[in-house]
Amino acid sequence: MAKWNCEATTVSYIVIMDALCKRGFVDEALDLFSEMSDRFSEAVRLFDSMSTRGVSAHSYTYNSLIHGLCNSDRRGLWKETIRYFDEMVGSGISPNVVTFNVLIDSLSKEGRMEEVSKLFDAMIRSGKEPDVMTYNSMMNGLCLIGKLEEAQRLFDSMADN
């Protein structure tokens, strides 16, 4: 943005993230959202004000916010993360594989494997197919808490499928 002499605002980031998501560059949009960490509070306020401005959130928007909450340096944001996840589902927007992967990865990094298992089951029930990232996050989490045999079984089950 600086090379075009444009101010990097939350609105400009949201517009760019939306365009990236619409073109299928979800990872790049999530990376861009991570770069906004110093403007995190402003991003949350903007997200919360979207509906009053007539802007509908979609799964990419929620995924960006959930990803930012999960990767924030601030602790204790899990309740807020779940609040936005519940709001997403409550507004009729189905979580996609990216949504589940972000949550599963975040919980796995904290060793919260019981919650990971519940999310994984919800993912399957909702008809979403786990991918390599899903399994990789889960195996890392199991290894983190010393459940190496369980991680090996999970790996073997991937190979069988």
Side-chain angles (χ1 to χ4, degrees):
M1 298 258 229
K3 76 179 185 180
W4 293 298
N5 200 24
C6 294
E7 182 184 353
T9 66
T10 302
V11 173
S12 60
Y13 275 102
I14 294 290
V15 169
I16 293 168
M17 287 187 312
D18 186 56
L20 287 168
C21 290
K22 285 179 180 173
R23 300 287 295 169
F25 299 106
V26 177
D27 290 337
E28 289 83 353
L30 291 173
D31 289 342
L32 184 60
F33 188 85
S34 293
E35 289 177 25
M36 292 180 57
S37 62
D38 61 329
R39 301 179 139 209
F40 186 72
S41 295
E42 187 180 346
V44 170
R45 278 193 306 277
L46 177 65
F47 182 87
D48 289 341
S49 72
M50 285 173 59
S51 63
T52 61
R53 297 176 184 203
V55 179
S56 299
H58 46 67
S59 63
Y60 300 118
T61 315
Y62 277 102
N63 287 347
S64 294
L65 186 60
I66 289 168
H67 184 263
L69 286 165
C70 287
N71 290 317
S72 174
D73 290 336
R74 304 174 198 172
R75 293 285 176 221
L77 292 178
W78 188 249
K79 282 184 181 179
E80 197 163 345
T81 303
I82 293 304
R83 179 175 74 83
Y84 284 109
F85 178 80
D86 290 343
E87 179 182 306
M88 176 184 186
V89 173
S91 63
I93 300 171
S94 291
N96 57 26
V97 173
V98 173
T99 315
F100 283 108
N101 282 348
V102 166
L103 294 170
I104 286 171
D105 186 58
S106 181
L107 289 170
S108 293
K109 286 177 179 173
E110 294 180 17
R112 297 166 63 177
M113 299 311 294
E114 190 172 309
E115 291 167 271
V116 167
S117 180
K118 290 176 184 174
L119 261 175
F120 183 79
D121 291 344
M123 181 181 191
I124 300 298
R125 280 193 312 275
S126 72
K128 305 300 183 276
E129 192 70 31
D131 61 13
V132 172
M133 183 172 173
T134 314
Y135 287 109
N136 193 35
S137 295
M138 291 173 65
M139 286 185 293
N140 284 335
L142 290 167
C143 291
L144 180 71
I145 63 170
K147 294 191 174 186
L148 303 179
E149 290 176 12
E150 197 171 329
Q152 180 66 50
R153 281 194 298 275
L154 183 59
F155 177 80
D156 292 341
S157 75
M158 278 178 49
D160 292 341
N161 294 331

